[in-house]
Amino acid sequence: MNNERLAFLLERYKSNRITDLELDEFLNYLAGQDEQSLLAAKVMADLQAEPLKGTDLPPHIAQDIMRNILQSEKKVVELLPGKKSYQKRWVWVAAAAIILLIGMVPVLTRLINKNSDGESISSVLNQNYLAKKNTGQQPLTLSLPDGSIVTLQPGAIIRYDQSFGKSGRKTHLTGNASFDVTKNPLLPFYVYNRQVVTKVLGTSFDIISDPNQNNVSVIVKTGKVQVMENASITMDSSKLAVVIVTPNQKAVYSENSRRFETSLVELPLALKEHVAPGNFKEIAAGSLQFEQSSIDQVLVKLAETFGIEVLVENENLNNCLFTGDLNNQDFFTSLKIICLTINASYEVIGTRVLVKGNGCINQTNN
């Protein structure tokens, strides 16, 4: 059975327009070993692409339900009488019908095991979630129970349970938002957004979701975050993509390729310890002022100020001298000034910068 036919029958089944003959065909194919992975992938894709209508459940919960139904096949069939083929039919019909039969969640959760975080889906469903939505046209800043600050962009929704900050700090985000997380090493802070989970101890970062491009970006301002795939999208947690993102870096997760790409942000800001008090964007006076300083010293100081690794392609570049004041310049403007001075160029490679040029011969000895 090809993907197109399976997708057609599944859509007919979901919309309650399937004929008796089509239903027989559908059930017969569901009983086949070769079709199970195709069906699982199709149903999971539907759940991820279009949240369940008529329910307030966050999308990640629907995905977790689906994932755990698939993983629970062996336990389910042990409880069902009859032939093996009919047992398998029941499991996969239930998986396909999850979109229509969301009202049966309390029954389904009795069949569910633990998820990757050690939290049962039934306990998630029984929690009393609080939801905050920005219905205005301007960013909305909220304070969470643990003191963390979240700024929701228009249309964004954040959900968390009433015990937030006591036994855990898990939030579920729909849309775009900025976070300034209160540090608590004992209770990591989690943000679930589409297929991406962001884990932090205490930092500030942005999450931007682009449904048109099927990607999610995590942009770090301060601290360090771990960004990973949501375990609900795979049956093998060992294959989850995970990256570490530091200040002035961003990780973009592609839902199509299931890969992260890390890079520098468009406008890197000086790290907190290198800025003037009360002004996050202004570099502390004198910190980037140089007088006949060797380029290696200049680049080291620039790297420390912005938290970005800067390398030289040619060691002779370190012989060049630089005089100038870069305190009022952003990172990339500073690089351009340096490179113009020593007849060099630079290239951004991932999260690092490579300075290229012929360099200077024994200039430091003259």
Side-chain angles (χ1 to χ4, degrees):
M1 183 179 188
N2 59 41
N3 288 347
E4 290 77 11
R5 183 60 178 171
L6 178 60
F8 171 78
L9 292 175
L10 178 56
E11 186 60 37
R12 297 275 288 182
Y13 181 86
K14 288 161 47 183
S15 61
N16 200 28
R17 294 184 293 112
I18 194 167
T19 66
D20 290 341
L21 290 177
E22 289 172 339
L23 181 59
D24 287 341
E25 179 186 2
F26 187 48
L27 294 178
N28 286 332
Y29 278 119
L30 294 186
Q33 291 281 353
D34 293 339
E35 307 305 325
Q36 295 180 13
S37 61
L38 292 176
L39 178 64
K42 173 59 182 172
V43 176
M44 184 67 77
D46 285 346
L47 286 174
Q48 292 166 353
E50 183 177 357
L52 296 174
K53 298 178 180 179
T55 175
D56 291 331
L57 291 177
H60 83 281
I61 292 181
Q63 295 174 20
D64 282 345
I65 293 172
M66 181 65 212
R67 174 175 175 264
N68 283 281
I69 286 176
L70 303 181
Q71 291 181 327
S72 300
E73 175 183 350
K74 291 183 179 180
K75 292 194 175 184
V76 172
V77 296
E78 290 175 358
L79 302 176
L80 297 175
K83 297 181 181 180
K84 183 176 181 181
S85 61
Y86 287 98
Q87 293 170 348
K88 287 186 177 295
R89 286 184 185 184
W90 188 94
V91 174
W92 292 100
V93 170
I98 188 64
I99 299 173
L100 295 175
L101 304 182
I102 193 64
M104 294 182 62
V105 163
V107 177
L108 293 172
T109 54
R110 291 201 294 267
L111 303 175
I112 294 176
N113 298 322
K114 298 285 185 178
N115 67 13
S116 62
D117 292 322
E119 179 181 19
S120 67
I121 299 303
S122 58
S123 69
V124 171
L125 297 178
N126 290 331
Q127 289 172 351
N128 188 7
Y129 273 86
L130 299 175
K132 306 283 187 178
K133 181 177 182 179
N134 183 359
T135 58
Q137 300 300 315
Q138 301 296 325
L140 175 65
T141 299
L142 303 170
S143 179
L144 300 181
D146 69 333
S148 297
I149 303 298
V150 56
T151 300
L152 298 176
Q153 296 301 315
I157 305 172
I158 188 169
R159 297 178 176 90
Y160 54 92
D161 62 78
Q162 290 190 359
S163 64
F164 180 90
K166 298 177 181 178
S167 58
R169 298 195 293 172
K170 290 188 177 182
T171 65
H172 307 282
L173 173 67
T174 301
N176 304 333
S178 299
F179 293 83
D180 191 348
V181 176
T182 298
K183 189 173 183 179
N184 186 344
L186 299 179
L187 290 179
F189 189 103
Y190 292 88
V191 182
Y192 291 78
N193 180 264
R194 295 172 67 88
Q195 297 182 11
V196 170
V197 181
T198 302
K199 175 184 177 182
V200 302
L201 296 178
T203 185
S204 58
F205 58 96
D206 299 335
I207 295 181
I208 301 175
S209 177
D210 187 347
N212 295 324
Q213 298 296 324
N214 290 326
N215 63 39
V216 176
S217 300
V218 178
I219 302 170
V220 177
K221 299 176 181 176
T222 63
K224 180 171 63 176
V225 307
Q226 182 184 57
V227 187
M228 67 199 93
E229 289 184 298
N230 192 327
S232 66
I233 69 173
T234 180
M235 307 288 273
D236 186 355
S237 59
S238 65
K239 296 182 179 180
L240 288 174
V242 180
V243 295
I244 301 296
V245 191
T246 56
N248 289 322
Q249 296 181 2
K250 66 178 179 180
V252 180
Y253 176 78
S254 168
E255 296 176 355
N256 296 328
S257 64
R258 286 189 55 198
R259 297 185 62 180
F260 283 105
E261 180 178 338
T262 56
S263 61
L264 296 179
V265 299
E266 293 182 3
L267 183 61
L269 298 177
L271 301 184
K272 193 172 184 179
E273 59 269 27
H274 293 281
V275 299
N279 191 337
F280 186 69
K281 294 184 178 181
E282 183 177 328
I283 300 173
S287 60
L288 288 180
Q289 187 169 345
F290 304 96
E291 181 70 32
Q292 289 292 292
S293 300
S294 63
I295 286 300
D296 59 338
Q297 294 175 327
V298 174
L299 294 182
V300 166
K301 190 62 178 179
L302 189 68
E304 290 177 350
T305 301
F306 291 92
I308 298 173
E309 186 176 5
V310 183
L311 307 173
V312 293
E313 183 181 56
N314 183 352
E315 291 296 328
N316 286 334
L317 286 166
N318 293 328
N319 296 328
C320 299
L321 300 178
F322 176 79
T323 297
D325 186 353
L326 303 176
N327 285 301
N328 295 321
Q329 307 299 333
D330 62 63
F331 177 75
F332 288 118
T333 299
S334 297
L335 275 176
K336 291 176 182 178
I337 293 173
I338 294 170
C339 288
L340 284 173
T341 303
I342 62 175
N343 194 27
S345 62
Y346 72 88
E347 178 183 1
V348 178
I349 304 175
T351 59
R352 303 189 296 178
V353 173
L354 180 65
V355 177
K356 302 184 290 185
N358 294 327
C360 305
I361 303 299
N362 296 325
Q363 184 173 338
T364 56
N365 296 327
N366 294 334

